[in-house]
């Protein structure tokens, strides 16, 4: 099956003096996905996005967007790309509609699309109100409407729920899902990993400019599964017994429980083994990691 790449980077690299901000990044984003770009502060996310948008020139490698080289052919590559890099400064005394009109005229984008973009972000009935009276959530939605002006196939959103309350965050999340359901491809940068876990099918995690993990969220987390058990008596003794098994890759004690890195289908076997050794198992179950734990593991220094 041919999966069409909306973004493809090859060895994409950006060097600022001696500092490698992005180091040999090779990524693919397929059409229709919600792709998460993650990493701690300074990992190179913004620099990567800036290279994808033709705002920063790579030191080496290249970025293809919609099949076109961003450096060689920026107009064709970026014609159907919308981005919200940070909440843009709207004119507070102009209406939402008029702000979009200013942006459309400045960017050579069709004014006729404004109504549809306001509809998509559910701001039609407030379009004539001044932005001054908009809530933070409405401003973020207006910023997304601005990103929709070029009728984009690819939308890049950097921290779209920054500063929003839970209700505002849920609205933006629903909006992102709708955009993807309509066939648009989304690249999402966010520090809120629970949000990324809920929204994104695949993620790339950067650390110090390098790709440290990439894949389907479900797949990355499946690798993190193991068994969690509680024993009666001495957990340290149980841990030592378990560590001696060839198929146990590691044992960790956590709040009185034992986290065992082992195939989950071996639960019954593990239980029988401990029982034979005189250790009573009080509780056994599957321990599933979440994206936040996974993220800390792959980006941590230990
Ligand atoms: P954050 O989550 O804090 O926004 P980030 O992952 O977006 O971080 P970048 O902003 O891409 O990270 O920065 C990556 C590295 O490149 C950092 O060490 C940063 O200091 C450096 N850097 C970014 N822009 C420049 C620049 N114009 N000149 C010099 N160094 C830069």
């Amino acid at each position: 099956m041919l999966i069409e790449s909306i973004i493809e980077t090859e060895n994409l690299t950006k060097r600022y003096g001696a500092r490698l901000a992005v180091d040999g990044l090779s990524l693919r984003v397929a059409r229709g996905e919600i792709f998460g770009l993650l990493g701690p502060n300074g990992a190179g996310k913004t620099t990567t996005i800036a290279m994808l948008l033709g705002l920063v020139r790579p030191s080496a490698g290249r970025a293809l967007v919609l099949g076109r080289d961003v450096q060689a052919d920026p107009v064709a590559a970026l014609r159907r790309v919308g981005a919200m890099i940070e909440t843009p400064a709207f004119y507070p005394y102009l209406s939402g509609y008029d702000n979009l009109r200013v942006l459309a005229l400045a960017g050579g984008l069709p004014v006729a699309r404004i109504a549809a973009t306001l509809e998509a972000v559910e701001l039609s009935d407030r379009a004539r109100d001044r932005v001054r009276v908009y809530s933070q959530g409405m401003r973020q939605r207006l910023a997304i409407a601005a990103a929709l002006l070029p009728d984009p196939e690819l939308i890049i959103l950097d921290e779209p729920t920054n500063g929003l309350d839970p209700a505002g965050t849920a609205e933006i999340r629903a909006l992102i899902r709708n955009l993807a359901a309509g066939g648009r491809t989304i690249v999402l940068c966010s520090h809120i990993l629970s949000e990324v876990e809920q929204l994104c099918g695949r993620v790339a995690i950067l650390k110090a400019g390098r790709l440290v993990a990439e894949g389907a969220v479900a797949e990355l987390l499946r690798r993190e599964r193991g068994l969690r058990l509680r024993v009666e008596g001495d957990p340290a003794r149980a841990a030592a017994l378990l560590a001696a098994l060839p198929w146990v890759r590691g044992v960790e004690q956590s709040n009185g429980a034992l986290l065992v890195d082992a195939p989950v289908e071996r639960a019954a076997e593990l239980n029988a083994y401990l029982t034979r050794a005189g250790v009573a198992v009080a509780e056994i179950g599957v321990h599933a990691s979440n994206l936040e734990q996974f993220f800390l593991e792959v980006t941590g220094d230990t």
Side-chain angles (χ1 to χ4, degrees), residues 14-17 19-22 37-50 56 158-159 189 191 206 208-209:
K14 182 64 191 182
R15 196 182 280 281
Y16 290 111
R19 184 188 302 280
L20 267 171
V22 176
L37 188 58
L38 318 178
N41 292 130
K45 305 177 297 290
T46 307
T47 306
T48 300
I49 286 177
V56 162
D158 192 4
E159 302 287 346
C189 274
H191 283 112
L206 302 182

Side-chain angles (χ1 to χ4, degrees), residues 50-66:
M51 288 192 281
L52 291 174
L53 294 172
L55 303 170
V56 162
R57 174 187 288 277
S59 312
R62 62 178 193 154
L64 302 181
V65 170
L66 299 167

Side-chain angles (χ1 to χ4, degrees), residues 54-168:
L55 303 170
V56 162
R57 174 187 288 277
S59 312
R62 62 178 193 154
L64 302 181
V65 170
L66 299 167
R68 309 292 183 107
D69 187 312
V70 175
Q71 280 301 307
D73 201 357
V75 175
L78 302 172
R79 198 175 49 219
R80 302 283 307 276
V81 177
M84 182 184 120
I85 304 292
E86 51 198 37
T87 310
F90 293 115
Y91 296 108
Y93 51 87
L94 291 182
S95 68
Y97 181 93
D98 284 339
N99 267 284
L100 291 186
R101 193 161 185 279
V102 168
L103 288 172
L105 292 174
L109 297 164
V111 171
R113 269 195 53 76
I114 294 175
T117 64
L118 286 165
E119 183 71 40
V121 302
E122 294 182 10
L123 276 180
S124 301
D125 58 338
R126 303 294 301 273
R128 300 288 168 185
D129 292 359
R130 289 174 185 215
V131 165
R132 190 159 52 82
V133 303
Y134 279 17
S135 69
Q136 184 64 24
M138 291 166 71
R139 284 170 207 225
Q140 303 282 90
R141 277 166 25 223
L142 188 61
I144 295 178
L148 292 174
L149 282 173
D151 194 12
E153 291 185 61
L154 168 66
I155 305 167
I156 297 178
L157 301 172
D158 192 4
E159 302 287 346
T161 59
N162 213 359
L164 299 188
D165 65 12

Side-chain angles (χ1 to χ4, degrees), residues 1-299:
M1 188 176 62
L2 179 75
I3 297 175
E4 192 192 346
S5 294
I6 291 289
I7 295 175
E8 192 170 343
T9 72
E10 289 167 11
N11 188 37
L12 193 63
T13 301
K14 182 64 191 182
R15 196 182 280 281
Y16 290 111
R19 184 188 302 280
L20 267 171
V22 176
D23 186 2
L25 187 63
S26 295
L27 275 185
R28 250 165 200 275
V29 177
R31 181 179 292 277
E33 21 179 18
I34 306 182
F35 186 89
L37 188 58
L38 318 178
N41 292 130
K45 305 177 297 290
T46 307
T47 306
T48 300
I49 286 177
M51 288 192 281
L52 291 174
L53 294 172
L55 303 170
V56 162
R57 174 187 288 277
S59 312
R62 62 178 193 154
L64 302 181
V65 170
L66 299 167
R68 309 292 183 107
D69 187 312
V70 175
Q71 280 301 307
D73 201 357
V75 175
L78 302 172
R79 198 175 49 219
R80 302 283 307 276
V81 177
M84 182 184 120
I85 304 292
E86 51 198 37
T87 310
F90 293 115
Y91 296 108
Y93 51 87
L94 291 182
S95 68
Y97 181 93
D98 284 339
N99 267 284
L100 291 186
R101 193 161 185 279
V102 168
L103 288 172
L105 292 174
L109 297 164
V111 171
R113 269 195 53 76
I114 294 175
T117 64
L118 286 165
E119 183 71 40
V121 302
E122 294 182 10
L123 276 180
S124 301
D125 58 338
R126 303 294 301 273
R128 300 288 168 185
D129 292 359
R130 289 174 185 215
V131 165
R132 190 159 52 82
V133 303
Y134 279 17
S135 69
Q136 184 64 24
M138 291 166 71
R139 284 170 207 225
Q140 303 282 90
R141 277 166 25 223
L142 188 61
I144 295 178
L148 292 174
L149 282 173
D151 194 12
E153 291 185 61
L154 168 66
I155 305 167
I156 297 178
L157 301 172
D158 192 4
E159 302 287 346
T161 59
N162 213 359
L164 299 188
D165 65 12
T169 301
E171 280 172 16
I172 297 283
R173 213 186 291 135
L175 170 57
I176 291 172
R177 283 209 186 91
N178 274 341
L179 292 172
R184 302 186 203 265
T185 306
I186 317 267
V187 171
L188 177 69
C189 274
S190 173
H191 283 112
I192 307 167
L193 294 168
S194 56
E195 175 169 301
V196 171
E197 191 172 343
Q198 288 177 58
L199 276 173
C200 297
R202 288 200 316 126
V203 295
I205 303 180
L206 302 182
K207 178 190 178 185
R210 301 185 74 103
L211 186 67
V212 290
E214 184 194 6
V217 174
E219 179 60 29
L220 293 176
L221 297 184
R222 202 165 60 77
R223 280 191 238 143
E224 291 295 292
R225 274 153 55 103
L227 293 165
R228 177 191 183 88
L229 64 150
R230 282 181 193 279
V231 296
E232 277 159 16
D234 181 11
R237 178 163 172 260
L241 283 165
L242 291 170
L245 288 170
W247 41 267
V248 167
R249 295 176 292 256
V251 184
E252 211 179 289
Q253 293 194 46
S254 159
N255 297 324
L258 293 173
L259 302 179
V260 186
D261 183 2
V264 294
E265 57 278 7
R266 295 233 191 210
E269 205 176 323
L270 190 149
N271 189 8
Y273 167 78
L274 285 178
T275 308
R276 274 200 307 277
V279 177
V281 177
E283 202 182 303
I284 189 161
V286 172
H287 160 70
S289 181
N290 61 26
L291 191 59
E292 184 154 9
Q293 286 158 354
F294 180 76
F295 176 88
L296 291 172
E297 208 165 287
V298 296
T299 61

